[in-house]
Amino acid sequence: MAKTIGILGGGQLGRMLSMAAARLGVKTHIFEPLPNPPAGDVASKVTTADYSDEDALKAFAMSVDVVTYEFENIPTEALDIIESFCPVYPGRNALETSQDRLAEKRFLEGIGLSVAPYAQIDSLKDLEGALEEIGVPAILKTRRFGYDGKGQFKIVAKNQAVEAFDSIKGAPAVLEGFVRFEREISIIAARNKNGEISSFDPGENIHLDGTLHSTTVPASLSHALQTDAVLLAARVLNALDYIGVMGVELFVTQNGLTVNEIAPRVHNSGHWTQNACLIDQFEQHIRAVLGEPLGDGQRHSDSVMTNLIGEDVNHLEKFNNYALHLYGKADIKAGRKMGHINQISPKST
Ligand code: AMP
């Protein structure tokens, strides 16, 4: 019988995972609190229920062979219920580490990787003290529930402590020293239960207003740093005994690579793989969570992925020769990811 993968979250990542699964003859069942999720159009089944709905979670878990997720802010209580019926990949270890910026930084440091200077912030006093130590510019980030630059405040002068603390409503946070990076890159890599690892080439990312705008591959990076990025990703995956695809965001500095954050899922900066690799990040993730051998992540083309945010989706005339990926979202809203395009050209390096 065809296998079914349960996916927590019904956004565009769940949609593209479902499409990759379908190509492999695998069904997906989406669990999403909001009605009419983008993934719902292409999945075999959708459950519309809250992550606190125990009955719905049980029925969902009993209807699938394995559960994965497309975003990391899943309450641990929901996992407790699901895990008594079927495995969840990537595992809890990876999820819990990446849900909390402080735990994540400690983990990364613990395996010998470089992170921005940081301090734990639980009070205004902590923040004032940390600003003395770390200096400005610095970024105050909530420990949990931040994405696309949300839950962050850039502090450029020490007298902004109160304003910054108020802006995150006094939530538990970390203060990060500002990294003077030359460029931002990310590396997308997969690992399966046999410990097999396959990495895609690092991509160079441009962010606008804290949101990814484009990813270009190859990144302008020395061969040595490309290798460093691959080895670094493998170290993270092995340390977490990870199963699935992970996105690792990195700053390239004069002293090498500094980790910004890890995402235990397929990643926006890996969308270029859909048109520039034989096996893309979505298929790789499906293979990994099903315990299948990984595909070859080699790239056959150079690629530029550009996000279509809000009204961008109505201004495609400025691009030519692209593969269009739309997410089927009904309403255009400012800042909303509506789709992306991938442009490819013959492989240069
Ligand atoms: P994040 O949500 O943590 O990924 O941050 C979003 C973007 O803000 C990053 O991709 C960077 O462009 C910028 N950023 C975040 N943290 C730092 C930092 N410590 N130093 C410099 N830039 C940062």
Side-chain angles (χ1 to χ4, degrees):
M1 211 177 70
K3 291 214 162 156
T4 303
I5 300 179
I7 302 178
L8 297 168
Q12 60 267 19
L13 300 179
R15 179 182 174 99
M16 292 183 277
L17 282 170
S18 294
M19 289 160 79
R23 267 201 328 263
L24 301 178
V26 174
K27 295 180 192 298
T28 56
H29 180 168
I30 305 294
F31 191 104
E32 161 67 49
L34 298 173
N36 305 317
D41 297 343
V42 296
S44 301
K45 202 167 172 199
V46 182
T47 294
T48 308
D50 201 77
Y51 292 113
S52 59
D53 184 334
E54 292 187 18
D55 292 337
L57 286 168
K58 261 186 219 167
F60 167 73
M62 286 169 70
S63 77
V64 300
D65 297 288
V66 57
V67 166
T68 188
Y69 42 90
E70 59 132 43
F71 78 121
E72 50 272 46
N73 291 324
I74 299 154
T76 347
E77 297 76 24
L79 284 190
D80 291 338
I81 295 170
I82 296 169
E83 275 181 337
S84 53
F85 296 95
C86 69
V88 178
Y89 299 134
R92 177 177 288 242
N93 191 8
L95 190 68
E96 286 177 349
T97 304
S98 61
Q99 277 181 342
D100 179 350
R101 287 188 193 276
L102 186 64
E104 183 177 297
K105 289 208 181 331
R106 288 180 174 154
F107 159 73
L108 293 165
E109 268 190 331
I111 60 168
L113 301 179
S114 153
V115 296
Y118 69 95
Q120 176 173 355
I121 307 296
D122 293 314
S123 65
L124 181 60
K125 197 161 158 270
D126 286 348
L127 178 57
E128 285 165 348
L131 279 171
E132 286 306 321
E133 215 158 281
I134 291 175
V136 288
I139 307 184
L140 185 65
K141 299 182 178 179
T142 55
R143 279 171 62 174
R144 291 173 172 273
F145 306 123
Y147 68 96
D148 286 349
K150 294 185 177 64
Q152 300 192 6
F153 189 100
K154 185 170 174 188
I155 303 176
V156 290
K158 287 182 186 166
N159 65 11
Q160 285 179 297
V162 174
E163 191 189 346
F165 197 65
D166 284 351
S167 85
I168 61 157
K169 303 188 176 68
V174 288
L175 182 73
E176 272 183 37
F178 201 77
V179 177
R180 307 220 174 262
F181 56 82
E182 290 167 3
R183 48 182 51 89
E184 290 189 84
I185 62 164
S186 56
I187 179 135
I188 312 295
R191 184 178 181 277
N192 67 10
K193 68 170 194 284
N194 297 327
E196 216 184 300
I197 288 180
S198 177
S199 164
F200 295 104
D201 283 351
E204 184 161 340
N205 298 326
I206 305 288
H207 290 88
L208 296 179
D209 303 325
T211 301
L212 184 68
H213 165 68
S214 65
T215 302
T216 300
V217 190
S220 4
L221 212 56
S222 66
H223 285 300
L225 281 180
Q226 291 215 20
T227 311
D228 273 355
V230 173
L231 294 176
L232 180 156
R235 187 184 294 196
V236 175
L237 293 174
N238 281 335
L240 292 168
D241 197 13
Y242 193 85
I243 295 177
V245 163
M246 170 180 278
V248 183
E249 293 183 36
L250 300 165
F251 297 126
V252 181
T253 73
Q254 280 187 333
N255 303 318
L257 301 175
T258 292
V259 185
N260 175 23
E261 61 181 6
I262 59 175
R265 53 172 169 78
V266 286
H267 198 258
N268 193 168
S269 67
H271 291 357
W272 63 270
T273 60
Q274 290 172 308
N275 298 99
C277 300
L278 186 60
I279 308 295
D280 67 19
Q281 63 163 347
F282 300 101
E283 177 168 341
Q284 206 70 303
H285 187 74
I286 300 294
R287 286 176 180 230
V289 301
L290 287 179
E292 303 285 340
L294 299 177
D296 184 342
Q298 260 203 72
R299 177 170 65 84
H300 53 67
S301 300
D302 288 1
S303 180
V304 181
M305 186 288 305
T306 307
N307 270 336
L308 301 173
I309 297 178
E311 282 296 333
D312 290 350
V313 74
N314 287 330
H315 298 284
L316 292 171
E317 63 284 348
K318 58 185 170 199
F319 301 104
N320 54 43
N321 203 16
Y322 53 80
L324 179 61
H325 300 260
L326 295 178
Y327 308 149
K329 297 182 182 177
D331 304 319
I332 300 178
K333 285 189 197 149
R336 192 174 202 197
K337 290 177 180 168
M338 304 301 295
H340 64 273
I341 58 168
N342 284 331
Q343 294 171 292
I344 64 169
S345 52
K347 194 172 177 200
S348 56
T349 57

